[in-house]
Amino acid sequence: MDSTSNISKYYFLLFFSYQHFICAILILYFLDLGYSLIELIIYGLTLQFVLASILEIPTGVFADKHSRKTSLIYSGIMMVFASFLLLFAENKYLFIFSIILISFSHAFYSGALQAWFYDSLKELKKESSYKKIEGKAQLITQIGMAISTIIGAYLFQIYTKIPFMLLFLFQVFWLISIISIKEPKRTKNNERYIIHFKKSLKYIFSKKKLALLLIVNISLILFYLSFMYVFNQIYLLELDFSPLLMGIFLVILRIIMSFGSFIANKIKITFNIEFSSLLIIQSIIVFLIGLLNNFISLILIIILFFIFGIYSITLSNEIQKLSSSKYRATIFSIQSLINNIIFGFGVLLFGIIVDIYSTSLYFIISSIFILCSFIIFLIKK
């Protein structure tokens, strides 16, 4: 069995890994169980991302040194147990234990799937098609996730635990699927973990453009993760959205973002011009959303997610091209480590701001952070 089948399996794996059913109702579910917003941020987000940050490098090095497939299998096993425990999250200890398992799962997943797939393309000599294939994969995945988001929001109104039952079922399917993939051929790496990590860091800083992209991306990742995981539901509640309407709106965002990813391959301008343009446009739109804070801003959010779809594929393609196969999973783990640390503390700060002031200030501050990234990119590129 060669790596040809890995392309179709990549579509399948992405589809099952993101059918979470809980995107539109996650915060509402835990608020209904009696948790406060600050508790959710501390236990559900800050704890998770701090733990994942501690685990990122060891698991990334493990994937590079041993097997990306094995790393993904470990991730799947832990996520199956974690999604099962979320059904009993009214018990705070089980909730915290599930978060610990999710942190381990995300750490083993982070970087491993991307590294496995790009190396599969390299083995097939199709790495130049990455942007096109990844865009198609995102389109399939986001449409599937959009449908599951609506289903989850609707079923949540019938019985709050049904979306989490479906989450558990799909995680089982994902684990079964990952067992069937083929590991691309790679030179065996006998370096010690710490040596491999140091060489990965040295490689990143030897590629100044790679290091710059990892740093500049922080502000956008902080905004999009915090919005999609936490503040979208609070923002939409301010506009009197029901859980079902929230689900429908998130469906629209995911489909629009996937179309942005899908057409990213059609853009033929130079990377520097494309990347800097996408940064400044997103900064302006986020600022306007915070300034308006009404139903017109919903249209701007839709436009914003279309642009982010183009941006994310463009960035990922450039990072893949700049990364060595030997250090690929570790490089993506370092990227996730940086993002996790910033997100873990940034979302806590944003949570306090939203709790005391409003979501408007959250958008405005986020736009300033993105603008700073744009300025850094212009100066350092």
Side-chain angles (χ1 to χ4, degrees):
M1 182 177 65
D2 60 24
S3 295
T4 305
S5 63
N6 281 355
I7 296 177
S8 58
K9 287 176 181 177
Y10 181 63
Y11 295 141
F12 191 77
L13 287 170
L14 276 183
F15 180 84
F16 274 101
S17 65
Y18 286 104
Q19 306 316 303
H20 286 176
F21 295 96
I22 61 174
C23 296
I25 51 82
L26 182 62
I27 299 300
L28 300 179
Y29 174 72
F30 289 112
L31 290 176
D32 185 61
L33 292 178
Y35 292 95
S36 68
L37 178 60
I38 297 301
E39 279 183 312
L40 290 180
I41 290 173
I42 292 173
Y43 297 137
L45 291 173
T46 300
L47 173 62
Q48 175 187 337
F49 282 90
V50 168
L51 281 174
S53 298
I54 295 171
L55 297 166
E56 277 290 354
I57 302 305
T59 54
V61 174
F62 175 88
D64 275 337
K65 278 180 57 62
H66 301 290
S67 165
R68 280 79 184 263
K69 178 178 178 177
T70 303
S71 183
L72 292 169
I73 290 174
Y74 287 165
S75 173
I77 292 171
M78 292 174 194
M79 195 61 199
V80 165
F81 282 107
S83 58
F84 178 74
L85 290 178
L86 286 175
L87 290 167
F88 311 97
E90 55 267 19
N91 183 307
K92 186 174 292 187
Y93 295 106
L94 290 180
F95 173 52
I96 293 173
F97 185 51
S98 70
I99 295 301
I100 293 171
L101 287 175
I102 290 171
S103 301
F104 273 89
S105 176
H106 284 181
F108 275 107
Y109 176 93
S110 174
L113 185 66
Q114 293 165 304
W116 162 78
F117 179 60
Y118 198 82
D119 283 344
S120 295
L121 292 179
K122 287 193 71 174
E123 188 173 270
L124 296 168
K125 302 188 185 305
K126 292 184 177 181
E127 61 267 35
S128 61
S129 301
Y130 172 80
K131 203 173 179 181
K132 179 180 179 180
I133 295 172
E134 184 65 23
K136 183 180 178 181
Q138 290 300 323
L139 179 62
I140 294 170
T141 301
Q142 295 298 340
I143 290 176
M145 191 172 183
I147 294 170
S148 65
T149 299
I150 290 182
I151 293 172
Y154 174 74
L155 294 175
F156 178 79
Q157 296 178 111
I158 299 173
Y159 179 49
T160 58
K161 291 187 183 290
I162 295 178
F164 291 85
M165 295 175 184
L166 292 174
L167 170 63
F168 169 70
L169 183 62
F170 270 69
Q171 293 305 319
V172 172
F173 286 152
W174 193 87
L175 176 58
I176 294 171
S177 302
I178 204 66
I179 295 172
S180 69
I181 68 173
K182 179 187 179 295
E183 182 87 15
K185 295 177 181 178
R186 295 188 301 122
T187 304
K188 186 174 177 60
N189 187 342
N190 294 316
E191 293 174 340
R192 293 169 56 195
Y193 276 68
I194 189 65
I195 298 298
H196 183 87
F197 171 60
K198 288 180 178 179
K199 286 187 176 181
S200 298
L201 279 178
K202 185 178 180 181
Y203 179 86
I204 290 173
F205 286 107
S206 70
K207 303 281 186 179
K208 292 183 179 180
K209 187 176 182 180
L210 177 58
L212 176 62
L213 292 178
L214 296 181
I215 293 170
V216 165
N217 188 47
I218 290 172
S219 62
L220 272 164
I221 288 297
L222 174 58
F223 168 71
Y224 280 98
L225 287 180
S226 62
F227 181 77
M228 289 305 292
Y229 281 99
V230 183
F231 300 115
N232 75 83
Q233 292 162 49
I234 297 169
Y235 177 70
L236 294 175
L237 277 176
E238 292 176 358
L239 298 176
D240 296 322
F241 274 53
S242 68
L244 181 58
L245 284 177
M246 288 183 191
I248 293 172
F249 185 69
L250 289 177
V251 163
I252 294 171
L253 291 186
R254 294 195 178 283
I255 292 176
I256 290 296
M257 184 172 69
S258 68
F259 274 108
S261 300
F262 186 67
I263 71 160
N265 185 58
K266 309 294 184 182
I267 299 174
K268 301 300 181 183
I269 57 178
T270 65
F271 173 79
N272 284 349
I273 294 175
E274 180 182 357
F275 190 74
S276 57
S277 300
L278 292 171
L279 278 174
I280 190 61
I281 292 170
Q282 288 176 96
S283 174
I284 293 170
I285 294 176
V286 172
F287 179 78
L288 290 174
I289 292 168
L291 201 63
L292 295 172
N293 199 32
N294 55 30
F295 283 95
I296 296 176
S297 63
L298 295 177
I299 299 173
L300 292 176
I301 291 174
I302 291 171
I303 296 171
L304 182 68
F305 271 73
F306 176 77
I307 295 170
F308 183 70
I310 300 173
Y311 166 87
S312 60
I313 294 296
T314 302
L315 176 69
S316 179
N317 182 59
E318 195 69 12
I319 291 175
Q320 291 279 22
K321 289 194 295 185
L322 292 169
S323 300
S324 164
S325 179
K326 183 178 180 180
Y327 305 116
R328 196 179 308 280
T330 305
I331 288 170
F332 277 103
S333 289
I334 291 170
Q335 180 188 25
S336 294
L337 170 62
I338 297 169
N339 293 340
N340 287 345
I341 292 173
I342 297 297
F343 176 73
F345 292 101
V347 75
L348 181 58
L349 173 63
F350 282 148
I352 294 170
I353 290 171
V354 170
D355 207 35
I356 297 175
Y357 299 102
S358 67
T359 53
S360 294
L361 187 58
Y362 154 71
F363 284 111
I364 291 171
I365 292 174
S366 295
S367 72
I368 294 171
F369 287 164
I370 299 169
L371 178 62
C372 290
S373 293
F374 168 72
I375 294 171
I376 293 171
F377 183 76
L378 286 185
I379 293 172
K380 298 291 185 179
K381 72 176 181 179

